[in-house]
Amino acid sequence: MLLIYITCVSGDLSVIFLVRTEPSLHTPMYIFISTLAATEMMFVTSIIPNLLANLIAGKNRISFIGCFTQLFVTATLGTAQCYFLAVMAFDRNLAISNPLHYSSIMTQTLCVQLAILPWIVGIIYVSIPFIFTAMLDFCGPNEVNHFFCDFAPLQSLACSDPFIAQVLASSGALFAVVLPFIITVGFYIHIIIIIAKINSAESKQKAFSTCSSHLTVAGLDYLTSITVYVVPKGSRYDRYLALIFTFITPLLNPFIYTFRNKDVKRALFKSRRLKLWQGSF
């Protein structure tokens, strides 16, 4: 777990640093990529350090306030991740369908607004089921059947009837995961239709290459999150599926953006050559 955490944080920090320092990557697409990397880094940080402390100390404890703080933070960041993927799909759709007007439409102001929007949506969607879950009576047992505090494991511990909170959490999951998934799929269907109309095979490959990294990341994120939060609960494999969504996907995403993206690889090589050149003096 420690190795996964170090690798994930290092990868995300590298993406953020590279986008920030390399002028050729100062475009809306890479601003969204770096913002997504920052969100994923905070997401794993809200879970893994506490899990590592429990594994090392062997106490397996978290305070009541700490548990609900972790619930709100992880749920908000998880929702923001899903909507960031939808925003990035919108950006790619706009760039491919309106290449001549892309710069005039995707202004710096609009880019900042779209980068902030997923956070606002995450806070709004999570607040309602969070408040109703926090209002439940918890009188024991106090053992959370999970490796972090999530809606379903906490609601199952309530002494009062959790039905309303469960319905709100399930409805929130539909808006937090399924809705951005549908939006993303819709944009990519439109992108595929546009690319199919291009006559040149080289132009088709160039157009789709700008979307391949995002499409891979979106597929991984949506597949795991829908499996964990939308598919009916109760399986003994729920925690293992959540493990993939929580650790494995954020671990792979920086490498997908690095090794499947020509612009990022070119910036990496340029940065490495610059350091070697400076070192020679």
Side-chain angles (χ1 to χ4, degrees):
M1 291 298 174
L2 179 61
L3 180 60
I4 289 175
Y5 179 64
I6 293 174
T7 306
C8 182
V9 171
S10 300
D12 286 328
L13 284 175
S14 299
V15 171
I16 295 169
F17 177 78
L18 191 65
V19 171
R20 188 173 181 83
T21 57
E22 177 55 44
S24 64
L25 300 181
H26 291 174
T27 61
M29 181 175 71
Y30 293 105
I31 291 174
F32 294 141
I33 287 176
S34 62
T35 308
L36 178 63
T39 306
E40 288 185 335
M41 184 173 61
M42 289 186 284
F43 178 75
V44 296
T45 300
S46 66
I47 296 175
I48 298 185
N50 183 72
L51 176 60
L52 285 171
N54 289 335
L55 291 173
I56 294 170
K59 294 181 179 179
N60 299 332
R61 293 179 180 177
I62 187 170
S63 66
F64 185 85
I65 295 176
C67 185
F68 273 88
T69 301
Q70 186 184 61
L71 170 66
F72 184 80
V73 171
T74 55
T76 300
L77 292 173
T79 303
Q81 285 182 33
C82 292
Y83 276 90
F84 266 121
L85 295 173
V87 168
M88 292 167 69
F90 165 74
D91 175 68
R92 290 300 84 209
N93 177 75
L94 183 63
I96 293 174
S97 61
N98 294 287
L100 299 178
H101 300 91
Y102 175 75
S103 299
S104 60
I105 297 174
M106 187 58 71
T107 61
Q108 184 176 2
T109 302
L110 180 59
C111 183
V112 171
Q113 290 174 346
L114 290 175
I116 297 174
L117 181 62
W119 293 82
I120 298 174
V121 172
I123 292 172
I124 293 173
Y125 280 170
V126 170
S127 294
I128 298 174
F130 174 81
I131 292 171
F132 277 83
T133 302
M135 290 172 61
L136 296 173
D137 296 325
F138 294 93
C139 53
N142 57 3
E143 183 176 343
V144 180
N145 186 27
H146 215 310
F147 57 88
F148 72 100
C149 294
D150 206 355
F151 279 110
L154 283 178
Q155 291 167 354
S156 65
L157 300 179
C159 301
S160 54
D161 187 6
F163 177 74
I164 296 178
Q166 289 174 342
V167 171
L168 290 173
S170 298
S171 302
L174 292 175
F175 284 103
V177 181
V178 177
L179 180 58
F181 170 73
I182 293 174
I183 293 172
T184 303
V185 170
F187 281 131
Y188 269 101
I189 289 175
H190 187 229
I191 288 172
I192 291 171
I193 292 174
I194 293 173
I195 293 176
K197 295 179 180 179
I198 299 176
N199 295 325
S200 172
E202 183 179 351
S203 298
K204 285 183 179 181
Q205 184 178 2
K206 183 178 179 181
F208 193 75
S209 65
T210 62
C211 307
S212 59
S213 298
H214 174 254
L215 191 58
T216 305
V217 171
L220 285 171
D221 278 351
Y222 285 130
L223 178 63
T224 51
S225 58
I226 288 175
T227 305
V228 172
Y229 291 106
V230 179
V231 173
K233 311 295 187 302
S235 170
R236 61 192 180 101
Y237 299 109
D238 283 349
R239 282 178 293 178
Y240 297 104
L241 294 172
L243 192 68
I244 296 174
F245 170 74
T246 307
F247 300 121
I248 306 303
T249 304
L251 174 67
L252 295 176
N253 287 353
F255 295 98
I256 294 173
Y257 282 128
T258 301
F259 294 113
R260 289 183 60 86
N261 194 296
K262 293 181 180 179
D263 293 334
V264 175
K265 286 191 288 186
R266 191 181 301 114
L268 278 172
F269 292 142
K270 179 180 177 181
S271 176
R272 184 179 300 175
R273 286 198 303 267
L274 181 61
K275 288 181 180 179
L276 291 173
W277 182 78
Q278 290 174 342
S280 64
F281 290 93

